[in-house]
Amino acid sequence: MHDTFTIDRRGLLLGAGTLALASSLPLKARAQSPRKGGTLRIGMADFSTSETLDPTLMDSQFQQNLHWQLRNNLIEVGPGGVLIPELAESWKGSKDAKTWTFSLRKGVTFHNGKPFTADDVIYSFNLHLKEGSKSQARPLLAQVASMKADGPNTVIFDLKDANVGFPAITSAVGLYIVPNGETDFDKGVGTGGYILEHFQPGVKSVVRRNPNYWKADRAHFDTVEMICMKDATARANALLTGQIDAYNSVDAKTVSLLQRSNAIRINRVKSKAHFAFPMMVDQGPFTSNDVRLAMKLAIDREDIVKRILNGFGSVGNDHPLSPAYQMYSADVPQRSYDPDRAKFHLKKAGVSDLKVQLHVSDTPFTGATDAAVLYKAHAAKAGITIDVVKEPEDGYWSSVWSKKPFCATRWSGRVNEDVIFSLVYTADGIKAGWNETRLNDDRVNRLVEEARREFDTEKRRALYAELQRIVHDDGGSNIFAFSDFIDAVSSKVTHGELSGEYMLDGSRAAERWWFA
Amino acid sequence: MNIILSISAKRLALGLATLLTISLIVFFSVELLPGDLAEAVLGQGATPEAVAALRHELGLDRPAAARYVAWVVDLLHGDLGRSLATGRSVVELVADRLGNTVVLALAAAAIAMPIGIGLGILSTVYRGRVFDRVASTASLAGISFPEFFTAYMLVAIFAVKLGWLPAVALVGSGENWMQRIALLTLPALTLALAVIAYVLRMTRAALVGVMAAPYIEMAYLKGVPPVSIVIRHALPNALSPIINVVILNLAYLVVGVVVVEVVFVYPGLGQLLVDSVSKRDIPVVQACCIIFAATYVLLNLLADILSILSNPRLKRPRQQV
C-alpha cells in the first residue's frame, strides 16, 4: 500500500516497474539501527502566523508536526494505517461496541514532571467537548456520552451508539494529551519525545530531546528545528545547499530536477488525500442523478493525473476510499472518460444543452484552477459547457466551499472509513457542515451505522463495499484523483517504512527518523 | 531655524492625520474582504457553531465602527492591542519582525547608497562616454528585472552553484556577526540591485542639470579638472534631489521587501503583514500598516528638512511654506 521509493546512487530502486517489489521489501532491513544525535531542520510549507499550541485550534502541517514532537495521543497510526498503542497500552470494547475501556501506560511523566494519569485524558478530551469549543475534533467526539476514570490507569468511554471504529478516533489530530488543568498551552507541555525550546508562529520552532522519553527507541535527534518556508523554490534551494535536511509539499514539477542531486532523496507515499469537484445533490441540475453521472463521465481522470499531478497520484473513482484504507473495495468498477455515455445520460435526464458554473481557486489544492480548465475542455466533447469561475484565494472555505453548488475541494483523508463516510456523506454530516454534496441517502445513513456495530471484519468489508458503490453510483462527489505525498529529504537522513497518514511520515518525522 | 521647526511641526501634524486616515482605510478595507478571522482560523472544518463561538469570544460580533473606535482609543493610550488569532501582544509580535526588517534595509542601504551615488558621479564625469552608457543600460536592466528574478538568479549562482553564501536567510539561531553578514548578503544584494539603479539615475540627472549652469562653464574655462568640477562645484548644489531619492529609497527598503522576505525566508514585517491579512487579524494588520505609513511620513519629513538644510535659499523663503 505504501510505495516508498528512494532515488539516489546507493538507492534500491529504480523506477515505477520495481515499485511493487520495493514496497514488499522490509525497508528497515537496509537501514542501520537508529543512531542518536544531530539537529534535524525541516522546512515547512504549511503554517500561519496565527498559530498557537492550543490542541483545539488547528491545524496546519506545522502544528501537527510540532504537537507530535511535544505530545502523544492514546493511539498512534503507523505505516499502513496500523494502530499502535501509544499512551494507551491496550483497549477493549464491550460486546455491543458502546463501551470502550482503555488501559493507560504506567510510569509516564509530562515534561514538567507531573505523572500521566486518566484525569489528563479526560481533561484533554473535554477541551474539545465542552460548550463553546472551537475544535474540529468536536464532531468526532460527539458520539461520546460520558467518560470516566477507573483508577489512575483506566479510562472508560460510554458511547451514545455503537462504534467499532472508536479507538482509531483517539489517534486523530487534535486529541493530544495535555496535563490535567493546563491552560497555558503555548508552554507546549506534553509527554512527547521533545521539549519545547522556542516557538515563534509563522517563523520557526525549536525543540530538544526529552531525556526521560518513555519510548526508548524513538526521538533520536538532539534538537529539531522547523522553519516556515512558504516559497517552494526557497525550500528546494535550502535543501540543495544543506541549510535544511527535509521539506514537505514538494512541487511535482520540480521533482525531476531535484532527483539530479545525489544529496537528496525523494520520498513518495500513497496517501488518502483526494481532489474532487463536489456537486450539491439538492441544487440546480444536479438533483438529477443522470446529470451527475454525465458530469462524472465527462472528466478525463488520467489526463488530470498526468498533467496536474505530473503523475504523482492515481485516478479517483468517485468515492472517498483509496487503497490506503483497509476497507477499500477493488470491486467497484473504475469510471473512465466516456463523452458518448455522458451524452446518453444527459438525454435521459432531458437536458439538451447543459451549462454549469464551476467555482475554483488554488486554495483547496495547487493546480485546482488548471484542473477545472482541463475539465472544461474534456466536458465540451460531451456537449457540456463548464464556465470556470475564478474565486479569491482567501476566504475560499467560508464563502465558496459548501456555498456554491459546484466547486473544487480537497480532503486529506481520515483515520478510518467510518470517519470519512459519516463526516462527509451522511445526514449527520449535513448538520455538522461537512457534507459538501448534501447527499442524504437512507441506505448510506443506515450502512454507516451498521458498519459501526459490526465487529466481524469480513462483514464490515461487505458493508463498506456497498457504501463505496452507492456513493460511486449516486453521490454528488466527482472524486477524480488521489495525490501522493512527496517529501524531499537529505540522503543523510534515514528512516523505516513511511506512513501515508500525512506528509513527513505521518507528521512524525522528528520522532521516527535519524541521521545515518 | 525657527522656520524649519515650524515646518516640521506642521508636517508632523499632517503626518499624524495621514496615519489616522490610513488606519481608517485599512480597517474598513479588511472589513470588506470576504470572511473574518473566525472563519479564516477554523478553515474548512469550521462548523457554524464553532465560528459563532469564536466570533463571540473575539468580540467580532460587535459593530465594525465600535471595534475601530476601541482600537483607536487603545492606540492613543499607547496600546497596540492583542492579536485576535494568538492572543499575543501585537507589540511583541511586531518588535522582532520590525528589527529584522530594519537591519535588512540598512544592510541594503549600506551597499546601495555609496555605489549608487558613486556611479552617478562617475557617469556625470564621463558623460556620453562608454562608462556612462554601460552604467545607464545596466541600471535600466536593474530596474526592469523583478526582484524575485534577481533573487533567484543570485541564489542559483552564489548559493547553489558556487556554494559561497547561504540560499535562505535563516537568522535568529544564535549566529555570530560574521555568519549574520553571510546570511544577509544575498537578500541585501537583491534589494540593493533594485535601488542602486534609481540612485544612480537620479544622481546623474541632478548633476547633469547643475552642470548646465553658467558657473560650471566658468570653472571649465578656468581649467578646473572635470572630477573636481563635479564633486566640488556641482554636487553641493545637486544634494537636495539626491537626498530625496536616497531617503525615499530607504523607505522603500523598509516597506517594499515582501517578495524578498518570501524568497529568502526572512522573518520581517512584510511577511507578517501578508499572513495577517489572509487571516483577517486586524490588530496586527493595522499595526504593520501604521508602522509602514509612519516610516514613509517620517522619512519624507526628514528628506524635506535635509533638503532645506542643504539649500541655503530655502532657509529664507520669500513666503511661508
Side-chain angles (χ1 to χ4, degrees), chain A residues 134 138 204 231 243 394, chain B residues 49 57 152 167-168 173 280:
Chain A
K134 297 153 296 214
R138 195 171 192 205
K204 70 191 286 191
D231 187 66
Q243 281 183 286
D394 49 77
Chain B
E49 52 176 294
E57 188 185 311
Y152 285 150
V168 293
S173 309
R280 312 283 186 263

Side-chain angles (χ1 to χ4, degrees), chain A residues 150-382:
Chain A
D150 182 12
N153 298 310
T154 309
V155 175
I156 301 168
F157 294 89
D158 273 312
L159 307 185
K160 291 172 190 158
D161 292 302
N163 189 356
V164 171
F166 178 75
I169 284 170
T170 67
S171 73
V173 165
L175 297 179
Y176 320 108
I177 305 302
V178 297
N180 185 12
E182 178 73 291
T183 50
D184 185 3
F185 298 110
D186 278 357
K187 282 192 291 192
V189 175
T191 52
Y194 296 91
I195 297 170
L196 185 65
E197 199 101 301
H198 173 78
F199 172 44
Q200 193 182 359
V203 181
K204 70 191 286 191
S205 67
V206 183
V207 297
R208 72 184 145 82
R209 185 168 54 224
N210 173 4
N212 304 317
Y213 193 33
W214 57 272
K215 292 185 193 175
D217 59 339
R218 293 288 193 91
H220 307 294
F221 302 103
D222 292 336
T223 44
V224 178
E225 271 181 47
M226 287 196 291
I227 303 137
C228 300
M229 307 176 101
K230 201 146 259 172
D231 187 66
T233 315
R235 296 199 297 278
N237 285 334
L239 182 64
L240 280 168
T241 57
Q243 281 183 286
I244 55 173
D245 306 298
Y247 73 92
N248 67 347
S249 293
V250 177
D251 185 351
K253 290 182 207 129
T254 60
V255 169
S256 58
L257 294 173
L258 289 168
Q259 283 172 344
R260 288 191 204 158
S261 165
N262 298 325
I264 291 178
R265 195 169 62 230
I266 298 293
N267 280 341
R268 176 182 174 184
V269 188
K270 288 246 178 280
S271 83
K272 296 173 175 174
H274 52 274
F275 303 154
F277 294 128
M279 303 169 265
M280 287 190 185
V281 301
D282 58 353
Q283 300 271 322
F286 308 123
T287 46
S288 152
N289 193 34
D290 280 302
V291 170
R292 301 202 292 267
L293 281 171
M295 295 302 296
K296 294 178 195 171
L297 287 162
I299 188 167
D300 186 344
R301 294 147 206 265
E302 303 278 354
D303 195 37
I304 289 195
V305 168
K306 198 175 84 195
R307 295 208 216 180
I308 305 295
L309 280 74
N310 277 56
F312 291 98
S314 46
V315 294
N317 196 19
D318 300 330
H319 65 74
L321 298 195
S322 75
Y325 285 94
Q326 288 169 340
M327 296 289 152
Y328 168 77
S329 163
D331 297 338
V332 183
Q334 174 64 47
R335 188 163 282 138
S336 53
Y337 183 44
D338 193 341
D340 291 330
R341 279 209 57 199
K343 279 186 194 154
F344 163 79
H345 281 289
L346 284 183
K347 207 178 212 174
K348 220 171 123 194
V351 185
S352 57
D353 187 22
L354 185 61
K355 281 199 180 70
V356 290
Q357 287 194 322
L358 175 55
H359 298 261
V360 289
S361 85
D362 270 9
T363 299
F365 58 94
T366 313
T369 313
D370 295 339
V373 174
L374 217 51
Y375 185 15
K376 176 194 168 104
H378 301 151
K381 291 199 182 128

Side-chain angles (χ1 to χ4, degrees), chain A residues 64-114:
Chain A
Q64 286 181 19
N65 275 273
L66 185 54
H67 273 297
W68 275 322
Q69 286 162 21
L70 304 170
R71 293 165 177 155
N72 300 120
N73 281 44
L74 288 183
I75 297 177
E76 171 187 352
V77 184
V82 177
L83 298 184
I84 303 170
E86 200 168 22
L87 284 175
E89 262 175 339
S90 63
W91 49 92
K92 201 172 170 313
S94 62
K95 259 196 201 105
D96 61 359
K98 276 172 105 168
T99 304
W100 287 89
T101 307
F102 285 73
S103 304
L104 306 179
R105 203 167 292 278
K106 294 178 192 116
V108 175
T109 54
F110 285 96
H111 299 156
N112 60 9
K114 185 191 156 323

